[in-house]
Amino acid sequence: MRGGNAVLGAAGLAAFLALGEAVPRLGLVGEEHFPPAGRIAGALGREVSDGGFWSALGDTLTGWALGLAIAVAAGIAVGVVLAVVPYLREATASTIEFLRPVPSVALIPLAVLLYGTGLGSVLVLVVYASFWQVLVQVLYGVQDVDPVAEETARSYGLGGWARVRYVLWPTALPYVMTGVRLAASVALILSITAELVIGAPGLGSRIAVAQASQAVPEMYALVVVTGLLGLLINVGVRSVERRALAWHQSVRGEVTV
């Protein structure tokens, strides 16, 4: 089954590349706006051989990794505290619902005012956007805890943190991993967006420079790199998720199938 999916995926990619080569060659789209896939591949090769590209890639990954780590740690910590203190959850519900829909890009002026165009501004946007993905999933996981299991733990004299460890955490972990997976994608999007808009070092600013200098093939090549980066991050996070939830019925069922 997996082999068949791989073949279909490869066939779809080949068809997409053939279409990307044919459309500009046939004059359906001007090559100055959308170069053929072959020229984009050549530009990608030149980018990979340039040391500046790897430096920009490192800057993007640094902002992504640091922002994601901070957001995950903060989201889990805040979610667990809100779960242990029910009154605190009720007191902060309206605040969470007010802040969560605020777009991270709306914070760009504030981030630039506070940290300029450096890594700090990228982290502000990445952490803010990713934090809510994790926190909301933790809260959903807390709500899914079996009341009978909770009462049983209380009857056996387990304290608050013991109940968190043995009752709440195993139930919430699948939700947490979903939040981490969503946050990883959001963090990459915001990292590149920040670089593109405010000029912070990274792939986003390199794309902006290529666009401004009319280096269209190089611009598309860098866009392809960001897509591949997102794909690798998604595959990596899913692999971690499967390992962390190897005991869970959803993963066991997936492996069995």
Side-chain angles (χ1 to χ4, degrees):
M1 189 65 177
R2 291 184 178 180
N5 290 337
V7 171
L8 289 176
L13 179 61
F16 177 76
L17 292 176
L19 183 64
E21 182 72 24
V23 167
R25 297 291 187 189
L26 294 174
L28 300 177
V29 178
E31 293 191 19
E32 66 276 12
H33 301 299
F34 185 76
R39 288 182 58 191
I40 295 176
L44 179 58
R46 292 191 295 273
E47 286 290 333
V48 171
S49 63
D50 185 359
F53 165 80
W54 295 105
S55 178
L57 178 61
D59 290 331
T60 295
L61 290 176
T62 299
W64 168 80
L66 286 178
L68 179 62
I70 295 171
V72 170
I76 293 175
V78 173
V80 170
V81 169
L82 293 180
V84 174
V85 187
Y87 295 109
L88 186 59
R89 171 71 180 98
E90 296 176 4
T92 58
S94 58
T95 303
I96 291 174
E97 292 304 319
F98 171 74
L99 293 175
R100 185 165 62 92
V102 175
S104 295
V105 292
L107 300 179
I108 288 178
L110 176 62
V112 174
L113 181 65
L114 293 175
Y115 299 105
T117 59
L119 178 61
S121 294
V122 176
L123 291 180
V124 168
L125 302 179
V126 171
V127 171
Y128 186 85
S130 304
F131 169 78
W132 301 111
Q133 307 296 326
V134 179
L135 176 62
V136 169
Q137 290 299 322
V138 172
L139 295 179
Y140 285 155
V142 171
Q143 294 174 0
D144 199 36
V145 172
D146 188 353
V148 175
E150 177 71 15
E151 290 302 323
T152 302
R154 289 179 183 273
S155 66
Y156 276 96
L158 293 181
W161 291 112
R163 295 198 304 274
V164 168
R165 178 180 178 182
Y166 295 110
V167 179
L168 186 150
W169 183 248
T171 302
L173 185 57
Y175 293 88
V176 172
M177 294 308 302
T178 298
V180 172
R181 177 158 43 85
L182 295 174
S185 299
V186 170
L188 179 64
I189 293 171
L190 266 297
S191 179
I192 294 175
T193 299
E195 296 163 358
L196 186 63
V197 175
I198 69 178
L203 291 176
S205 62
R206 198 170 176 89
I207 291 173
V209 170
Q211 186 270 335
S213 59
Q214 298 298 313
V216 179
E218 284 74 14
M219 182 191 72
Y220 278 103
L222 291 168
V223 171
V224 169
V225 170
T226 61
L228 293 174
L229 189 58
L231 176 62
L232 291 175
I233 287 174
N234 186 61
V235 170
V237 174
R238 283 189 175 274
S239 177
V240 172
E241 182 179 16
R242 291 190 185 97
R243 289 179 179 272
L245 299 177
W247 53 271
H248 196 265
Q249 61 181 2
S250 62
V251 175
R252 292 205 308 269
E254 179 181 327
V255 173
T256 301
V257 172

